[in-house]
């Protein structure tokens, strides 16, 4: 039986699921539970590798939205994250995400780096945006 509940991302503070319809699935990339070497070296004589790996494991993930978002779509996406922020200046948000390594959901605090916005088209009452890229780095 699968632990998957049909979504990739949920904001913990607001208990809101990020709409899958906005995600370009083929763009989803994650590196869950990253290992970090505190020290790694080879013995001068035997050439054996020795590693001291940090206990903590942090995750990163990113995705692109679908192309052709309306201004309202972009605002809805922004509101999903800003309403769930714990620290606005740092763009710190607690998220539950699908962890591919564990095949279950994990929860962590993430920051959302600066974003670029590309306009595809404008009309008298709307703006159409190219795909947006979202990146999340665990604290």
């Amino acid at each position: 039986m699968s632990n998957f509940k049909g979504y990739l991302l949920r904001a913990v503070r607001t208990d809101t699921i990020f709409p899958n319809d906005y995600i370009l699935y083929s763009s989803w990339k994650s590196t869950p539970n990253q290992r970090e070497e505190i020290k790694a070296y080879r013995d001068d004589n035997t050439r054996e590798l020795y590693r001291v790996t940090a206990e903590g494991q942090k995750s990163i993930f990113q995705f692109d939205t679908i192309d052709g978002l309306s201004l309202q779509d972009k605002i809805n996406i922004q509101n999903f994250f800003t309403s769930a922020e714990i620290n606005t200046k740092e763009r710190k948000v607690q998220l539950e995400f699908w962890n591919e390594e564990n095949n279950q959901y994990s929860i962590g605090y993430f920051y959302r780096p600066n974003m670029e916005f590309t306009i595809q088209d404008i009309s008298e009452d709307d703006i159409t945006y190219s795909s947006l890229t979202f990146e999340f780095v665990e604290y």
Side-chain angles (χ1 to χ4, degrees):
M1 179 173 216
S2 171
N3 293 320
F4 188 67
K5 300 176 186 172
Y7 61 90
L8 294 171
L9 191 58
R10 180 180 70 87
V12 174
R13 182 177 182 189
T14 59
D15 191 26
T16 307
I17 294 171
F18 188 84
N20 288 337
D21 293 345
Y22 287 140
I23 299 173
L24 179 62
Y25 298 137
S26 63
S27 71
W28 180 272
K29 296 177 187 173
S30 70
T31 310
N33 310 331
Q34 293 183 98
R35 274 58 168 188
E36 183 178 354
E37 302 304 322
I38 296 172
K39 184 177 183 180
Y41 63 93
R42 288 199 179 273
D43 181 274
D44 288 338
N45 185 40
T46 65
R47 304 310 296 155
E48 291 290 322
L49 178 64
Y50 295 91
R51 297 170 56 204
V52 179
T53 305
E55 289 296 318
Q57 299 175 4
K58 301 300 179 180
S59 299
I60 61 171
F61 61 91
Q62 70 180 52
F63 65 89
D64 297 334
T65 65
I66 57 170
D67 207 31
L69 296 170
S70 69
L71 175 58
Q72 189 58 56
D73 291 333
K74 182 187 76 76
I75 291 169
N76 291 343
I77 291 168
Q78 288 173 305
N79 286 341
F80 172 86
F81 294 110
T82 57
S83 64
E85 286 175 347
I86 295 160
N87 182 318
T88 302
K89 185 176 180 182
E90 295 178 6
R91 292 190 188 122
K92 183 177 184 178
V93 62
Q94 188 178 30
L95 298 172
E96 178 183 56
F97 66 100
W98 178 247
N99 182 320
E100 280 89 0
E101 184 170 320
N102 299 342
N103 297 309
Q104 63 186 19
Y105 289 95
S106 296
I107 294 177
Y109 289 96
F110 293 84
Y111 77 88
R112 186 171 42 92
N114 295 329
M115 293 183 57
E116 292 183 356
F117 300 93
T118 303
I119 294 175
Q120 278 183 337
D121 193 24
I122 60 171
S123 67
E124 291 184 19
D125 62 350
D126 204 2
I127 302 173
T128 304
Y129 290 89
S130 296
S131 180
L132 303 174
T133 299
F134 285 88
E135 298 178 60
F136 300 91
V137 180
E138 191 170 10
Y139 273 82

